[in-house]
Amino acid sequence: MKEKTFFFGKYKTLFGIVTTPPKELINNNLPAIIILNAGVLHRIGPNRLHVKLARKMSEFGYTSLRFDFSGIGDSPTRDDNLSYEKKFLSETKDAMDYLVSTQKIEKFILMGICSGADMSLQVAYSDERVVGAVLINGLLLGDNRSYEVASYVKKNVKGRIYRKKIFDYKSYLRLITGKSDFKSIREFMLFKIKNRFLSKQSNTPQINLDKKMEQIVQRNVNLFLIYSEGSVAYDTYRLGLESEIKSLATSGFIQVEIIENVDHVFTLLWSQKLLLNLVKKWCLSLNLSATKK
Amino acid sequence: MEPFYFGENYKLLFGIYHPPLKQVITKCGIVLCYPIGQEYLRCYRAFNKLAISLSASGFHVLRFDYYCSGDSYGDVENLEINQTLDDLSMAIEELKGGSGLEKICLIGIRMGATIAINSSLRRQDVSGVALWDPVVNGKEYFNEIKTLHREWLKGSFSMGKMKISNDQIQEILGFPFSDSLIKELENIDMLSINKLSTKNILLINSVKEINLMFLKEYLEKLDTNVDYQNIETPEIWIKKNSEKNKALVPIKILNSIKSWVERLFL
């Protein structure tokens, strides 16, 4: 495996790192993998996941690129007034253009966690060079209402954490041995009381799937949606998107995986290993010529 | 900025060199030392801004990732403190070679600060070390991050044991800590340093509940000038379930470091 730094984009200010497989495994029939920033974290990703993914996939002949959008990590902010979404679209396309010209690869799989997943979906819609996308804990909402929906579902996540602990034997063990987190218990009681009063008053926002997903699937783009139980994206899926996604999944181009006991960014090592294996298996199953180690 | 790989073939280190943006005479180059584990992720942005600020003042600046961390080669499971010291030595030589400067100032945060001061003990070319919330005692540090991990685990959906069975690895907030790394950490004690080769230290304490005066007094007994500054800011390196401080840049601390460096080395 070899890694190389590079600048790209209109002003050559976007910074990224390309991971290429060992010479004997290089296979330019495979799509390249482009990994997008998760939130404000730089290109190595939460818990260094992007680095691990890129290096893992190089063992199977995949070239990967991880880079920083402008204003994140080591890419400076832009001088123009391009909107948030247009900026990310344009810069991801620049990344693809770079790989086309330097690696002669013309097809791409996008990957992202959280906002990276959302951006992957947007780019997949607008650029036909994208043949697949791994969307990890993306909200995937239409009509740009992510903040409104996220703040609503956050309460749901909290409720789920508390309910999970009620049914966890370790909670009772801690209670008996005096090691309970009484602060959390108090918070839970207050949460229940508050929700009992507010639940009838709060407006449940409409949770709609981004319509672009349907059009992406019609183009035979493969999508792998991964949700971890501890993510607000999981709630968005369960509370609003599930039936639409399941309906689209009958096309055979969408796979959904739900992973229990895992937080939004796969902090625990076993969950990172699981995620890497899931992504690897999915990529290899895409019926594209892969070089196996 | 100029990103590049350096070091030995199978242990390549990723670094970013920030050339001076001003034509001034400086007495040293600057190498920035990141913390390890989850803390590295959370301090990245602040160090990026610091490097840019210092290069704007006219300094040659290098920041880099230790072997087995960040964008450097190597798997996280193999991170070792002794290796980070060697990596820092390589980074220092790289900057000296590239800039033509003979002296270096090291700036580190948390474990990075501890690595910086320990590295300076082996060298004669370190003119100053800035210690931003340094890890003074490795055993206490490891207990502290273990507690943070447990606290985080309680409030999250994640299930898991502290120690992965059959492996000599514990995990803390997304990163493995091998038994050998833990042993190295437990041997760290800044109060066991008995000689310093650097004459200038900046000691920054940002944590309200901690008082580092004892460290200041100890280091001063080793015949070095210690500039101690108490600048209360959120602990940017801490991972919590409510992520209020993620990507925060404590400007006051950056300005303080910049002023100290400019005062001594411009």
Side-chain angles (χ1 to χ4, degrees):
Chain A
M1 169 290 305
K2 206 173 164 189
E3 291 191 330
K4 197 178 154 191
T5 65
F6 67 102
F7 286 101
F8 66 99
K10 190 176 171 188
Y11 307 109
K12 295 272 187 286
T13 53
L14 296 172
F15 175 66
I17 293 180
V18 175
T19 306
T20 49
K23 272 194 190 135
E24 63 274 16
L25 295 179
I26 289 177
N27 180 352
N28 284 352
N29 290 322
L30 287 174
I33 296 171
I34 299 182
I35 309 171
L36 307 185
N37 289 117
V40 297
L41 287 178
H42 75 293
R43 66 199 165 274
I44 76 161
N47 309 310
R48 210 191 185 207
L49 269 170
H50 296 180
V51 176
K52 292 177 186 179
L53 259 164
R55 292 176 183 177
K56 179 88 182 166
M57 295 313 297
S58 73
E59 294 171 15
F60 295 89
Y62 286 85
T63 294
S64 296
L65 187 166
R66 56 188 187 274
F67 74 98
D68 289 326
F69 285 121
S70 56
I72 296 177
D74 294 303
S75 295
T77 49
R78 293 173 76 106
D79 284 337
D80 54 25
N81 290 321
L82 216 56
S83 70
Y84 177 87
E85 191 175 296
K86 282 189 176 151
K87 169 180 97 162
F88 289 166
L89 272 172
S90 160
E91 292 173 4
T92 310
K93 287 181 189 207
D94 288 341
M96 289 192 272
D97 291 343
Y98 175 82
L99 287 176
V100 168
S101 69
T102 58
Q103 304 291 326
K104 313 296 176 208
I105 296 174
E106 296 184 354
K107 301 281 176 207
F108 301 95
I109 292 173
L110 303 180
M111 281 190 202
I113 299 171
C114 188
S115 59
D118 289 331
M119 276 328 302
S120 295
L121 185 72
Q122 300 303 315
V123 178
Y125 171 77
S126 76
D127 197 311
E128 292 198 358
R129 294 177 291 180
V130 178
V131 298
V134 181
L135 312 175
I136 304 165
N137 289 328
L139 289 181
L140 312 179
L141 300 172
D143 63 36
N144 289 327
R145 289 165 49 250
S146 300
Y147 279 125
E148 182 192 334
V149 170
S151 62
Y152 169 78
V153 296
K154 262 183 199 165
K155 285 185 219 149
N156 211 63
V157 176
K158 230 177 176 174
R160 288 196 294 112
I161 290 178
Y162 291 136
R163 275 194 295 278
K164 196 177 177 85
K165 288 190 183 308
I166 283 177
F167 293 108
D168 177 14
Y169 77 92
K170 285 185 205 152
S171 303
Y172 296 99
L173 202 62
R174 280 195 290 270
L175 190 66
I176 295 165
T177 54
K179 288 177 185 169
S180 278
D181 180 359
F182 292 102
K183 185 182 167 199
S184 286
I185 293 172
R186 195 175 61 239
E187 274 178 10
F188 171 62
M189 301 303 294
L190 284 170
F191 173 80
K192 288 294 285 180
I193 293 166
K194 206 167 142 184
N195 262 11
R196 210 170 267 277
F197 280 113
L198 293 180
S199 60
K200 286 179 186 161
Q201 296 157 27
S202 67
N203 296 319
T204 309
Q206 195 73 12
I207 301 177
N208 299 316
L209 180 65
D210 194 326
K211 293 295 170 216
K212 291 174 183 152
M213 196 180 281
E214 186 177 350
Q215 293 166 67
I216 290 169
V217 166
Q218 281 169 1
R219 242 177 53 217
N220 296 348
V221 175
N222 290 277
L223 298 177
F224 188 18
L225 276 59
I226 300 175
Y227 293 103
S228 54
E229 193 188 4
S231 174
V232 292
Y234 172 80
D235 290 87
T236 322
Y237 173 73
R238 284 277 194 234
L239 292 173
L241 308 185
E242 190 172 5
S243 58
E244 279 184 271
I245 289 175
K246 278 184 171 167
S247 161
L248 288 176
T250 56
S251 63
F253 288 97
I254 296 183
Q255 184 178 326
V256 179
E257 185 81 30
I258 295 184
I259 309 174
E260 290 183 354
N261 304 321
V262 174
D263 64 305
H264 183 62
V265 289
F266 296 80
T267 300
L268 293 185
L269 296 180
W270 72 263
S271 68
Q272 293 178 34
K273 202 171 168 181
L274 177 65
L275 179 68
L276 293 177
N277 279 329
L278 282 172
V279 171
K280 174 199 92 185
K281 274 186 189 158
W282 179 82
C283 287
L284 294 179
S285 75
L286 285 184
N287 205 25
L288 300 161
S289 49
T291 310
K292 287 179 189 164
K293 209 179 169 186
Chain B
M1 67 169 208
E2 296 168 21
F4 66 108
Y5 282 98
F6 65 100
E8 300 162 25
N9 254 342
Y10 295 102
K11 284 187 171 183
L12 287 174
L13 305 178
F14 172 75
I16 297 184
Y17 166 64
H18 296 259
L21 299 180
K22 225 176 175 178
Q23 293 274 2
V24 291
I25 297 173
T26 56
K27 295 174 189 166
C28 65
I30 300 175
V31 178
L32 303 188
C33 305
Y34 289 112
I36 62 174
Q38 182 70 221
E39 294 183 2
Y40 159 86
L41 282 166
R42 281 143 204 286
C43 295
Y44 196 85
R45 194 157 180 256
F47 259 26
N48 178 340
K49 299 294 175 202
L50 179 60
I52 291 170
S53 171
L54 292 170
S55 79
S57 294
F59 289 95
H60 295 264
V61 184
L62 174 63
R63 52 191 170 97
F64 75 104
D65 295 332
Y66 311 116
Y67 180 61
C68 302
S69 77
D71 284 308
S72 289
Y73 281 39
D75 297 327
V76 282
E77 292 79 7
N78 298 325
L79 183 77
E80 286 182 359
I81 299 298
N82 276 334
Q83 180 65 54
T84 65
L85 290 169
D86 291 342
D87 298 340
L88 178 51
S89 286
M90 268 192 281
I92 291 171
E93 293 308 320
E94 196 67 33
L95 184 62
K96 281 169 70 176
S99 64
L101 289 163
E102 289 177 4
K103 296 288 188 182
I104 295 290
C105 171
L106 302 176
I107 300 174
I109 178 173
R110 293 284 286 165
M111 199 62 216
T114 311
I115 289 166
I117 193 90
N118 277 288
S119 176
S120 74
L121 303 178
R122 303 169 162 193
R123 308 183 68 97
Q124 297 302 315
D125 55 359
V126 178
S127 302
V129 184
L131 306 171
W132 176 356
D133 291 302
V135 167
V136 179
N137 184 290
K139 230 180 229 170
E140 285 173 17
Y141 162 74
F142 188 61
N143 286 335
E144 177 196 327
I145 58 177
K146 264 197 300 189
T147 302
L148 278 172
H149 180 84
R150 277 193 203 106
E151 287 304 313
W152 169 82
L153 205 58
K154 266 191 239 169
S156 94
F157 271 87
S158 291
M159 307 269 276
K161 295 175 188 173
M162 181 66 76
K163 194 155 188 159
I164 297 169
S165 58
N166 301 325
D167 287 334
Q168 301 305 308
I169 300 240
Q170 291 193 29
E171 62 174 301
I172 307 282
L173 294 171
F175 288 80
F177 280 63
S178 64
D179 277 355
S180 59
L181 174 60
I182 295 168
K183 278 193 184 87
E184 284 182 314
L185 290 175
E186 289 177 345
N187 285 333
I188 289 172
D189 184 359
M190 281 179 67
L191 299 182
S192 68
I193 294 173
N194 51 27
K195 194 179 178 188
L196 282 170
S197 61
T198 184
K199 291 296 174 198
N200 298 291
I201 289 181
L202 170 66
L203 177 58
I204 294 180
N205 177 29
S206 71
V207 183
K208 188 179 172 184
E209 295 78 16
I210 292 177
N211 185 338
L212 289 176
M213 277 303 285
F214 72 94
L215 182 60
K216 172 188 188 297
E217 286 159 7
Y218 182 81
L219 294 173
E220 278 174 339
K221 285 188 187 140
L222 301 178
D223 194 27
T224 193
N225 303 312
V226 181
D227 184 345
Y228 178 52
Q229 298 190 22
N230 222 356
I231 307 175
E232 220 172 282
T233 56
E235 293 160 79
I236 61 170
W237 55 84
I238 288 192
K239 177 179 170 79
K240 284 185 176 162
N241 281 315
S242 67
E243 295 273 37
K244 271 195 279 185
N245 298 329
K246 202 198 284 187
L248 207 62
V249 176
I251 294 292
K252 279 188 189 167
I253 293 181
L254 265 56
N255 287 341
S256 168
I257 294 172
K258 187 176 170 182
S259 300
W260 177 78
V261 168
E262 283 176 346
R263 185 165 32 91
L264 288 176
F265 303 120
L266 266 184

